Amino acid sequence: MLRVCGLQLRSGTLQAAKAAILAAPRHDLYCLPELSSCGYPSEFSKERIDAAMRQEHLAFFSELAREIDAYIAYGAITGHLAHIVVGPEGEVTRYNK
C-alpha cells in the first residue's frame, strides 16, 4: 500500500518544508504545494527567487528524499512554474506548467 502525505505549509521555505515532512514520518510520498520551495508572492525575496532559479531546492529535496527513503513532490520556479518529484535513489521528474 502506498502511503501518501499531503502537506500545507505556513511558510514557503525549505526549512519549513523539511520540518513538516519530518513531523509526519513513515510515508512513501510527500506532496507539497505549488511554490513550496520559494514561497508565495507575499514571501518572495530576491534571494529566494535567485536560489530557486539556481535549483538549490533540487539538491535540498533530493538529499531529504534519500534521508527519509521516500518521494517528495514540491512546487518550484525553474524558469516556469513547475512541480518536481524527487526519489530516494536520485530519480527526478518535472512538470512545467
Side-chain angles (χ1 to χ4, degrees):
M1 176 187 299
L2 181 67
R3 297 164 295 182
V4 178
C5 181
L7 297 168
Q8 290 296 324
L9 304 175
R10 291 189 172 184
S11 172
T13 67
L14 298 178
Q15 294 307 319
K18 183 176 183 176
I21 289 169
L22 294 178
R26 297 183 300 280
H27 289 87
D28 301 307
L29 172 63
Y30 293 87
C31 296
L32 300 173
E34 181 176 73
L35 298 179
S36 52
S37 67
C38 61
Y40 294 89
S42 64
E43 300 174 326
F44 280 175
S45 70
K46 182 176 181 345
E47 294 79 23
R48 281 190 187 176
I49 292 173
D50 288 347
M53 293 300 288
R54 288 191 307 270
Q55 297 191 28
E56 292 175 3
H57 50 78
L58 182 58
F60 179 87
F61 284 116
S62 293
E63 177 59 30
L64 182 56
R66 278 190 289 278
E67 287 177 21
I68 63 171
D69 192 31
Y71 290 85
I72 300 171
Y74 67 95
I77 298 173
T78 62
H80 306 280
L81 288 177
H83 219 78
I84 300 170
V85 179
V86 295
E89 296 180 18
E91 312 93 326
V92 178
T93 302
R94 180 171 82 186
Y95 166 74
N96 290 328
K97 290 185 172 187

